[in-house]
Amino acid sequence: MDFQVLAQGLVSGILIAGIYALFASGITLLFGIMRIVNFGHGELLMLAGYISYWLYLGFKMDPFVSVWISMAVLFVVGMFVQRFLINRVLSAAEENQIVLTLGLGIFLQNAIMLGWSPDPMSIRTPYSSEVLRFLGVSISIPSLGVLVLCLLFISIMFIFLTRTNWGKAIRAVAQSRQGAMLVGINVNRMLLITFGFSAALAAAAGSLLAPITYVFPTMGLSYIVKGFIIVVLGGMGSITGALLGSLIIGVVESLSAIYISTGYKDAFSLLVFLLVLVFRPGGLLGKTRV
Amino acid sequence: MRVGSWQFLVGSLIVVLVLLVSACTPAPPASKPAEKKETIKYGILASLTGAWATQGAQHKNLSEMAIRDINAQGGVNGAMMELVVEDDKSTPEAGVAATEKLITRDKVVAIGGSYSSGVTLAAMKVATRLETPMITWSVANEITDQGSKYIFRPGQKALWYAEAMVKFAKDEIGANTGALVHTDDAYGTSTAKSIKEVAEAQGLKVLADEAYSPQSVDLSPVIIKLKAARPDVVLAVSSVNDSKLLVTQSHQLDFNPKAIIGGGGGFSTLEYIEGAGKDSEYTFSTVDWTPDVKWPGANEIYERYQKEFGRQFNLSSISVAYIIPGIVAEAAKNAGGVADKTKFRDALASVDMKDSMYGPIKFDKNGQNQHSVLVVQVQNGKFVTVWPKQWAPTSFKPVPSWDKR
């Protein structure tokens, strides 16, 4: 196998990392700020996929346009979920939180299955097979678009959290909910915004994936496990960690599939994951909690 | 006294439920007017919920259509046929329970189903024990290899799909080498194994054998490997999502085999053509039935179905659900009714239908029909039957490389 194969493998790994990163950063944001692990995150992605599909069906809208709408819708949905569901279990035992988010996911999945259909639906874009060829390496244009948007969204998120007053307030809430309340931060509002952002990131992944694969009620399941692996690998709560984790998992999967066996690509990414945990139990960029 | 009141509530609920159920169960008809003629009850195991819900609904619709057609033509010697549908929930456990119910409570004379081989293998044990014929639409080899007297299969076994794929690749495409790609679930792995065995026996060299998860969102590593191996043809056992990824990413990575041949599965679904669009053109798939095959009435059923249900049905192991009530009716006619169960079974075993919409039907001693596997090619966004010549209306188009499309 020559240089071209290696380069192509690297490019494929980096491109798929974009989707992983969008999805994982939503999970990690929620965990970092609220200490909530959202098992329904995959279904928020699925919901966004359907929004893009419906907009395509009704108005022939391109997913790169409808992604903005689905993000806005999911931001609101996320705030509702936070206000009426998550808020009630914020200080409850962890099992209760898990059951609630898991239940939300199962509910959404079945609601779509009943209300729409279990069949895979597709969005067709005229450029779905277009590629850039560079030194014999093919770069898929839609995947490249996803990667660019992914970096954009995550940078916006990062700047928001580090540079703005609201972002600082949110980080204060993450450090200590009580402390934040004492200095006059509207904690409930910050939590609403956080959940909204997390849902919007899932929405970005869902809408951008829709034209690459299919939209179907259980589509979230393909990502949820991988999402958690990436989040833990990068360090729970760290957005840069999620980016790094996505890149590692994407590239390891791609290269191990090419040089060893596609059947074992998950085995190799899990092996890397375990090795990281052995030497850094808190993940690559995470703090080990005592 | 919380616990006490709960117990009271649950207790009274149970009492109410019991009362309701007993009120709903009809009392045995004391003096029902003598029926003109007995009805012939035919039951199906349809996967109405669970993993195969899409296919299950299509089996149910086609069974209903068939029963309606038979009754509209006067039924079987004047007796009407009646359909009893049970949901096997796509699981063997529910399939077994549904089979027992169909035979012992509903007293059906024959059972059709199910889509999943796992369900059929479990349910056929019950049917054999209760001596009721089961006519299946699933494909696992073992089903008719066990020698049960009560199992019949009008369609083909999985092995014949593999044989058709390899034969088509060698004789029609002229391939000497092939690469195998398949999903890593039970279906994909076992089918791929038999394709590999057939290929090696027939002298088609297998250069690569790649498994991947059916939930993959990126198959470019697979394509990169295949491209390096340079096979003449790609033989694929896939579900819907990965079929689309295989062809769109082959296009993106400029991988040009002489043919991509799917073993049914995703490559024979409408979702695949819808999803992959132009990239699905020229790809092949094995199927058990097509609307344009030269079997009388095939196209008519397809069009009527579309008119009635507003949607086409899938090509793999679906249309057979329409012919089974016809087979049951034929056997009942030959046996002079269904009252004698042994006579009915023997009549079923010796059914000989020369031109049904599902091709010729004649069971061997294992209940297996020598059904012909067909090969379709996507041409102008539609599946067109291209092989075998005996049944195909046209021949296949050679596959151009991606840059010449």
Side-chain angles (χ1 to χ4, degrees):
Chain A
M1 304 228 184
D2 49 11
F3 163 76
Q4 211 172 316
V5 171
L6 175 68
Q8 186 71 65
L10 278 173
V11 166
S12 295
I14 293 168
L15 287 178
I16 195 69
I19 294 278
Y20 289 171
L22 272 181
F23 185 74
S25 55
I27 299 178
T28 209
L29 176 72
L30 209 58
F31 181 80
I33 312 286
M34 294 168 63
R35 298 277 143 192
I36 289 268
V37 178
N38 182 9
F39 284 93
H41 202 67
E43 278 62 42
L44 298 177
L45 169 145
M46 179 268 296
L47 219 51
Y50 272 95
I51 291 173
S52 276
Y53 170 69
W54 287 322
L55 288 171
Y56 167 79
L57 204 64
F59 308 102
K60 290 270 159 251
M61 195 183 282
D62 192 283
F64 278 98
V65 179
S66 63
V67 63
W68 302 97
I69 300 177
S70 77
M71 281 176 78
V73 172
L74 263 285
F75 188 89
V76 176
V77 169
M79 292 207 295
F80 266 91
V81 170
Q82 159 62 22
R83 173 71 185 75
F84 295 105
L85 296 173
I86 306 293
N87 222 7
R88 295 167 187 274
V89 296
L90 260 188
S91 22
E94 271 174 15
E95 306 88 79
N96 296 18
Q97 302 174 345
I98 291 173
V99 170
L100 179 70
T101 57
L102 205 59
L104 176 72
I106 296 172
F107 170 78
L108 288 175
Q109 238 179 58
N110 287 283
I112 292 282
M113 216 180 279
L114 271 176
W116 193 251
S117 91
D119 303 341
M121 302 293 163
S122 50
I123 298 179
R124 227 145 81 186
T125 52
Y127 49 81
S128 64
S129 302
E130 292 297 312
V131 287
L132 280 175
R133 288 196 208 286
F134 181 72
L135 294 177
V137 174
S138 312
I139 304 170
S140 151
I141 288 181
S143 300
L144 190 64
V146 172
L147 186 67
V148 170
L149 278 189
C150 154
L151 292 176
L152 176 74
F153 291 147
I154 293 176
S155 319
I156 291 175
M157 176 63 42
F158 203 75
I159 291 168
F160 172 79
L161 281 178
T162 51
R163 296 273 187 275
T164 66
N165 278 340
W166 277 19
K168 283 177 189 160
I170 286 177
R171 285 190 297 145
V173 171
Q175 277 181 13
S176 160
R177 226 169 278 161
Q178 231 167 9
M181 224 180 282
L182 282 174
V183 296
I185 291 172
N186 186 339
V187 170
N188 277 338
R189 183 192 289 162
M190 294 307 138
L191 295 181
L192 277 181
I193 295 171
T194 307
F195 209 104
F197 270 125
S198 165
L201 284 171
S207 289
L208 294 175
L209 257 171
I212 297 178
T213 64
Y214 285 83
V215 179
F216 51 100
T218 49
M219 69 187 285
L221 297 179
S222 320
Y223 307 97
I224 194 80
V225 175
K226 204 153 275 168
F228 283 128
I229 291 172
I230 289 166
V231 166
V232 176
L233 176 69
M236 290 196 83
S238 158
I239 291 182
T240 5
L243 264 178
L244 189 64
S246 306
L247 194 64
I248 292 174
I249 295 288
V251 169
V252 167
E253 273 183 3
S254 173
L255 292 186
S256 62
I258 293 171
Y259 289 105
I260 301 153
S261 159
T262 27
Y264 290 108
K265 72 171 190 179
D266 288 337
F268 280 94
S269 56
L270 286 173
L271 188 70
V272 170
F273 170 65
L274 287 177
L275 284 177
V276 167
L277 284 195
V278 166
F279 294 105
R280 287 194 62 96
L284 287 171
L285 301 178
K287 292 175 224 83
T288 315
R289 276 204 292 162
V290 187
Chain B
M1 287 304 285
R2 265 186 85 185
V3 175
S5 55
W6 265 111
Q7 282 169 338
F8 175 72
L9 198 69
V10 171
S12 47
L13 249 177
I14 291 174
V15 172
V16 168
L17 273 179
V18 167
L19 284 176
L20 264 179
V21 169
S22 54
C24 288
T25 317
S31 58
K32 215 176 174 185
E35 286 172 71
K36 285 183 300 237
K37 200 99 188 195
E38 47 162 356
T39 57
I40 297 173
K41 280 188 164 182
Y42 163 66
I44 59 168
L45 292 182
S47 306
L48 297 178
T49 52
W52 310 114
T54 309
Q55 288 84 350
Q58 296 174 353
H59 289 131
K60 175 173 167 270
N61 294 342
L62 278 164
S63 304
E64 280 169 0
M65 258 175 81
I67 299 276
R68 223 184 311 134
D69 290 353
I70 291 168
N71 288 342
Q73 285 166 15
V76 184
N77 296 335
M80 293 291 124
M81 279 188 81
E82 186 189 331
L83 180 69
V84 188
V85 182
E86 277 296 319
D87 180 11
D88 64 35
K89 304 191 171 82
S90 310
T91 66
E93 302 80 46
V96 164
T99 310
E100 297 226 19
K101 191 222 156 218
L102 283 173
I103 298 174
T104 54
R105 287 250 312 268
D106 298 320
K107 310 250 182 281
V108 300
V109 297
I111 293 177
S114 173
Y115 187 71
S116 149
S117 293
V119 176
T120 304
L121 283 165
M124 67 180 271
K125 290 207 185 85
V126 180
T128 305
R129 175 161 55 79
L130 298 174
E131 303 187 335
T132 302
M134 180 161 182
I135 310 170
T136 186
W137 48 72
S138 47
V139 297
N141 296 332
E142 308 94 280
I143 292 173
T144 47
D145 287 351
Q146 296 177 349
S148 161
K149 267 174 67 187
Y150 291 93
I151 190 83
F152 299 92
R153 175 157 53 194
Q156 70 299 309
K157 39 171 108 172
L159 179 67
W160 299 352
Y161 269 132
E163 287 171 351
M165 283 170 90
V166 172
K167 197 167 159 51
F168 182 78
K170 280 199 57 139
D171 298 356
E172 304 294 322
I173 306 291
N176 296 316
T177 58
L180 198 55
V181 289
H182 62 92
T183 51
D184 60 4
D185 49 9
Y187 164 74
T189 314
S190 68
T191 314
K193 197 173 145 238
S194 55
I195 295 176
K196 201 170 181 180
E197 281 163 12
V198 171
E200 272 158 8
Q202 307 279 328
L204 183 77
K205 209 168 159 220
V206 178
L207 300 179
D209 177 3
E210 296 297 323
Y212 55 79
S213 155
Q215 293 174 339
S216 295
V217 288
D218 177 36
L219 290 178
S220 48
V222 176
I223 313 281
I224 295 168
K225 268 188 112 160
L226 294 189
K227 203 178 163 185
R230 295 173 184 279
D232 287 343
V233 289
V234 173
L235 307 176
V237 185
S238 60
S239 50
V240 176
N241 184 39
D242 41 311
S243 311
K244 171 182 173 179
L245 285 175
L246 272 175
V247 294
T248 52
Q249 298 197 313
S250 288
H251 184 181
Q252 286 172 351
L253 297 167
D254 197 30
F255 169 52
N256 283 298
K258 283 185 191 160
I260 298 178
I261 307 170
F267 277 101
S268 64
T269 59
L270 300 162
E271 285 91 354
Y272 161 66
I273 295 188
E274 276 165 22
K278 274 208 163 67
D279 290 344
S280 69
E281 286 289 313
Y282 302 106
T283 59
F284 299 92
S285 177
T286 50
V287 291
D288 67 325
W289 184 89
T290 54
D292 70 340
V293 67
K294 290 187 199 158
W295 291 331
N299 195 40
E300 187 224 320
I301 304 291
Y302 200 59
E303 280 175 359
R304 266 175 53 206
Y305 187 97
Q306 193 175 4
K307 216 171 277 168
E308 190 169 336
F309 299 100
R311 202 176 154 75
Q312 293 160 322
F313 56 81
N314 290 1
L315 292 186
S316 290
S317 303
I318 300 292
S319 66
V320 58
Y322 179 86
I323 199 63
I324 295 174
I327 298 172
V328 172
E330 177 83 8
K333 205 179 287 170
N334 295 346
V338 290
D340 186 340
K341 282 187 94 173
T342 329
K343 216 171 152 195
F344 173 69
R345 194 227 72 108
D346 292 343
L348 198 54
S350 51
V351 156
D352 188 1
M353 294 162 80
K354 294 226 161 42
D355 33 36
S356 79
M357 51 71 80
Y358 196 70
I361 290 165
K362 193 173 168 38
F363 299 114
D364 67 10
K365 66 177 193 337
N366 286 331
Q368 176 66 53
N369 178 33
Q370 292 295 319
H371 186 70
S372 171
V373 175
L374 310 172
V375 173
V376 290
Q377 184 180 34
V378 180
Q379 296 182 1
N380 302 317
K382 275 169 103 170
F383 289 116
V384 177
T385 314
V386 295
W387 189 85
K389 292 198 174 66
Q390 189 188 359
W391 307 117
T394 65
S395 52
F396 73 94
K397 291 184 184 162
V399 186
S401 62
W402 292 107
D403 52 0
K404 295 209 177 69
R405 294 192 186 180

